[in-house]
Amino acid sequence: MDQEAIQEKAKALDNSRPLDAGKVSNHPEAKVLVQHVFGEIIEKATVSKKKKDQKNLRGHIRAIVMDLYDAYVSDPELYLGYSRNRNDYGPDSRNKAIFFSYRNVIKVVDFLGSQQYIENHPGKRDPENPSLSRISRMRATKKLLDLLTVEHKVPPDSVEKAPDTECIILRDVVDLEVDGKSESQKVDIPYTDTPETKRMRKDLIAYNNLLRRTYVDVAHYPKKGVPSKSGKRMIKFNRNHKFVRRVFNNGTWEDGGRFWGGFWQRLPRQWRTKIWIGGSPTAEIDYSGLHIVILYALEGVDYWKEDGVDPYLIEGFEQSERMRDFLKQVLLRAINSDSAASVVRSINWEIITDDDCEFKWIKDEGINIREVVECFADRHPTIKDKFFKGCGVKLQHIDSIIAEHVINEMTKQNIPILCVHDSFVVSSFHSETVRQMMKDAYKKIINQLEDPNVKMKDKGITKPEQTYWMGSGMRGPFSDRDTALEKLGITNNDRELHKRYKEHNGKQWEDEYYFDNGKERRGIFKEG
């Protein structure tokens, strides 16, 4: 294989994610399929005859095969990364495969490879060219996909997180050897429950159960995905990926705590406006300049009373949405960095190395990044001393508590909302309710500081008269519904979306699918 082919293969293998131990499907045919593969292994490989060992092996088959299927549904070109290093498994490991058994992972993967069920690429270490070093990769072949979809007809949307999947995550930074290189990585670490972690988990489980039984989709989204900014990759999503976790950082419950995981967080902004929740189009409501306003509040100043102008407008620079987006990134880096120079370096590095960086226009138009950073800091003299102090995770912790209040109150009212950190996508039918709750949540959390006002802005459909519920009183040919939608200013003739909505509503959804397994060691892999 020539050098160009090697580089192309390496690039393809880079499109990967870690193997997930917590994937299941409760569809009857999925269980039959797992037993089918288990029978093949029994017949063709050496397997312990102990019932406990065989149950454990079946659990690994289920998790690996269902995650291969889930990866294919998300992106047919996506690989799953897994380690063949025994030290990366077991209760003392820091590897993401921590709750897998090394012996069973290797047994299942090697068997699937020997039977052409997977395309398997063993990892390699290349000291001379570290960029080509990587852990092992695998993805499903047509043979396995036919077994899943043709012979056993396992629905792609039946693959989901296990019911006892951990949703409260504590992370820390550790030094790891990955793909032959030593580097610092954020990893999930074990912790002992407290009354507060139990409360957070109970609340988040209720939210995840509400999301699970709620139909969430994107109208007109192409099956092949949409091009990234560079056009070099396609952005796809799996509508079944609705499980949300809270992630705390630096080994402490005082840093971070934001909500992560929903597919809507990975959508390009323009496509979030096309999200439907249940049978309704949506509005996205966000806090305007939330972190800046919080920083002012921490100084006892009500920003909107004292200043009142968009915090991302700087005199002498263009007043545009793209500049506003750039200044948001400047702020993000400024509150997480230790100097203005490091902010400039990180932005320059991203522009140079990331084909999809949306700020290449800054470099192309000759804008001085350092000048922008310094002028932005000067724009906010009251909080200037908070810049370059690494306080970002503290601010994220505050905005996560605000988001938690909104999510919990809406969940109690059985109103599903999609959290995007400081904004919420909500059915336009409930936009006013959520807008008021966001104001209440902000004041509740910040009130002890100065009770500052809060401003919000809406994106997408927000007028009550533009609310449309699929199947609620609108009958007749599909074209009649299209006409009704158009009269309301809504264009949505996505027949597949309507079909999926109907199929979703035709299923029986448990009220309490997710639950707390009550174990101190969170996220443990169940073998059943």
Side-chain angles (χ1 to χ4, degrees):
M1 186 181 295
D2 59 30
Q3 191 63 30
E4 184 176 348
I6 291 175
Q7 290 178 349
E8 283 298 314
K9 179 181 177 182
K11 183 177 179 181
L13 291 173
D14 282 341
N15 180 25
S16 70
R17 67 164 173 79
L19 176 65
D20 186 346
K23 290 292 174 61
V24 300
S25 172
N26 291 316
H27 192 273
E29 281 299 313
K31 297 178 181 179
V32 175
L33 180 144
V34 170
Q35 188 59 38
H36 172 97
V37 176
F38 175 74
E40 287 190 349
I41 293 182
I42 288 287
E43 180 182 345
K44 300 175 182 179
T46 302
V47 175
S48 169
K49 294 184 179 180
K50 293 181 180 180
K51 289 184 178 181
K52 180 179 179 181
D53 292 342
Q54 293 193 358
K55 181 179 180 182
N56 189 294
L57 180 61
R58 278 194 297 270
H60 281 71
I61 294 171
R62 179 188 67 176
I64 293 171
V65 170
M66 290 306 130
D67 201 27
L68 285 164
Y69 191 20
D70 183 75
Y72 172 81
V73 172
S74 300
D75 178 359
E77 304 300 319
L78 183 67
Y79 286 93
L80 295 182
Y82 72 97
S83 174
R84 298 186 72 91
N85 185 337
R86 184 182 297 273
N87 294 328
D88 288 336
Y89 295 81
D92 296 325
S93 79
R94 300 277 188 179
N95 188 274
K96 287 192 176 183
I98 185 171
F99 299 118
F100 272 126
S101 153
Y102 167 78
R103 178 173 56 85
N104 280 333
V105 167
I106 302 306
K107 181 181 288 291
V108 172
V109 169
D110 287 351
F111 176 79
L112 294 175
S114 71
Q115 302 302 307
Q116 289 78 52
Y117 282 130
I118 62 170
E119 171 190 333
N120 191 26
H121 299 271
K124 59 178 292 187
R125 182 174 182 177
D126 190 339
E128 296 182 2
N129 194 345
S131 65
L132 297 180
S133 298
R134 57 183 35 83
I135 61 173
S136 300
R137 306 283 200 271
M138 62 176 167
R139 68 181 177 190
T141 62
K142 185 177 184 300
K143 181 179 180 180
L144 179 59
L145 294 170
D146 284 347
L147 189 66
L148 283 156
T149 61
V150 178
E151 183 173 343
H152 292 282
K153 295 181 173 59
V154 179
D157 62 357
S158 72
V159 181
E160 57 187 329
K161 290 285 190 179
D164 60 345
T165 300
E166 181 55 76
C167 57
I168 304 298
I169 306 299
L170 184 61
R171 284 185 178 163
D172 206 350
V173 177
V174 298
D175 291 327
L176 291 174
E177 184 173 303
V178 180
D179 289 338
K181 297 172 290 184
S182 179
E183 59 182 54
S184 296
Q185 278 199 359
K186 294 179 180 179
V187 297
D188 301 351
I189 61 174
Y191 61 86
T192 300
D193 265 331
T194 66
E196 180 64 6
T197 60
K198 291 179 180 178
R199 180 200 63 78
M200 290 190 294
R201 185 177 301 109
K202 180 180 178 181
D203 291 339
L204 193 47
I205 285 174
Y207 178 54
N208 275 317
N209 278 322
L210 175 59
L211 291 178
R212 181 178 179 270
R213 59 180 184 264
T214 298
Y215 178 68
V216 183
D217 208 337
V218 184
H220 306 292
Y221 204 89
K223 290 183 179 180
K224 63 180 181 180
V226 297
S228 63
K229 292 183 182 298
S230 68
K232 294 185 177 181
R233 64 185 180 89
M234 301 300 287
I235 300 174
K236 304 176 183 180
F237 79 94
N238 186 331
R239 66 184 57 86
N240 207 38
H241 289 178
K242 296 183 287 184
F243 186 82
V244 174
R245 306 186 301 170
R246 285 194 78 176
V247 181
F248 294 84
N249 302 309
N250 301 325
T252 173
W253 303 108
E254 302 302 318
D255 289 353
R258 279 183 159 184
F259 296 80
W260 295 91
F263 72 79
W264 49 88
Q265 293 180 338
R266 296 183 290 278
L267 289 178
R269 180 190 302 173
Q270 65 271 28
W271 281 96
R272 288 210 302 268
T273 65
K274 301 179 185 295
I275 290 177
W276 283 57
I277 296 179
S280 172
T282 58
E284 182 173 357
I285 311 170
D286 74 353
Y287 292 102
S288 183
L290 182 59
H291 278 183
I292 290 178
V293 174
I294 291 176
L295 285 171
Y296 273 87
L298 292 171
E299 296 297 312
V301 177
D302 181 335
Y303 177 81
W304 296 110
K305 285 183 179 179
E306 295 296 324
D307 190 298
V309 179
D310 187 333
Y312 296 109
L313 293 182
I314 304 179
E315 188 175 346
F317 293 92
E318 68 175 68
Q319 298 183 7
S320 63
E321 193 61 31
R322 68 174 185 171
M323 177 58 78
R324 195 173 191 277
D325 288 342
F326 178 63
L327 289 174
K328 286 182 179 180
Q329 286 300 310
V330 169
L331 174 67
L332 179 64
R333 287 168 167 80
I335 60 178
N336 284 288
S337 301
D338 58 6
S339 69
S342 64
V343 174
V344 175
R345 283 196 302 270
S346 68
I347 294 174
N348 274 323
W349 177 254
E350 183 176 344
I351 290 174
I352 293 170
T353 60
D354 185 358
D355 290 334
D356 288 322
C357 179
E358 60 184 306
F359 306 121
K360 289 186 181 296
W361 63 273
I362 291 284
K363 203 76 171 177
D364 295 340
E365 297 185 13
I367 295 174
N368 188 310
I369 297 175
R370 175 176 285 277
E371 183 181 357
V372 175
V373 173
E374 292 175 349
C375 287
F376 185 62
D378 291 339
R379 162 75 175 84
H380 298 285
T382 303
I383 59 172
K384 186 176 180 179
D385 64 337
K386 296 294 190 298
F387 288 10
F388 320 122
K389 295 292 179 62
C391 65
V393 288
K394 301 297 183 184
L395 293 174
Q396 287 179 10
H397 185 59
I398 295 174
D399 75 42
S400 78
I401 296 174
I402 295 172
E404 176 189 36
H405 184 81
V406 177
I407 289 171
N408 290 347
E409 290 303 311
M410 292 300 97
T411 300
K412 290 175 185 177
Q413 297 182 42
N414 204 39
I415 297 176
I417 58 176
L418 312 180
C419 179
V420 193
H421 307 317
D422 63 349
S423 73
F424 299 91
V425 179
V426 58
S427 160
S428 52
F429 185 76
H430 296 297
S431 60
E432 289 300 326
T433 301
V434 174
R435 186 181 294 107
Q436 185 58 51
M437 182 53 63
M438 289 172 66
K439 292 179 180 178
D440 294 344
Y442 179 86
K443 290 183 178 181
K444 179 181 176 65
I445 306 306
I446 306 297
N447 187 50
Q448 68 270 26
L449 302 176
E450 188 64 25
D451 191 21
N453 293 321
V454 56
K455 290 191 177 182
M456 294 177 290
K457 61 180 182 178
D458 300 343
K459 306 169 187 174
I461 298 169
T462 58
K463 295 180 180 179
E465 63 269 20
Q466 288 183 310
T467 299
Y468 165 66
W469 293 90
M470 289 189 285
S472 61
M474 285 189 157
R475 299 291 183 264
F478 197 93
S479 59
D480 290 348
R481 297 204 299 274
D482 289 348
T483 301
L485 285 170
E486 289 173 4
K487 287 182 178 179
L488 294 173
I490 304 170
T491 301
N492 177 37
N493 56 359
D494 188 339
R495 300 183 181 221
E496 288 299 314
L497 182 140
H498 284 256
K499 179 182 177 182
R500 293 192 297 266
Y501 173 72
K502 189 174 181 180
E503 290 174 348
H504 178 94
N505 281 357
K507 295 181 180 179
Q508 295 293 323
W509 298 96
E510 306 98 313
D511 287 339
E512 298 182 0
Y513 170 80
Y514 294 112
F515 66 93
D516 183 0
N517 65 21
K519 297 179 180 177
E520 279 195 9
R521 188 175 183 81
R522 312 309 316 172
I524 192 165
F525 169 61
K526 287 192 70 176
E527 300 164 351

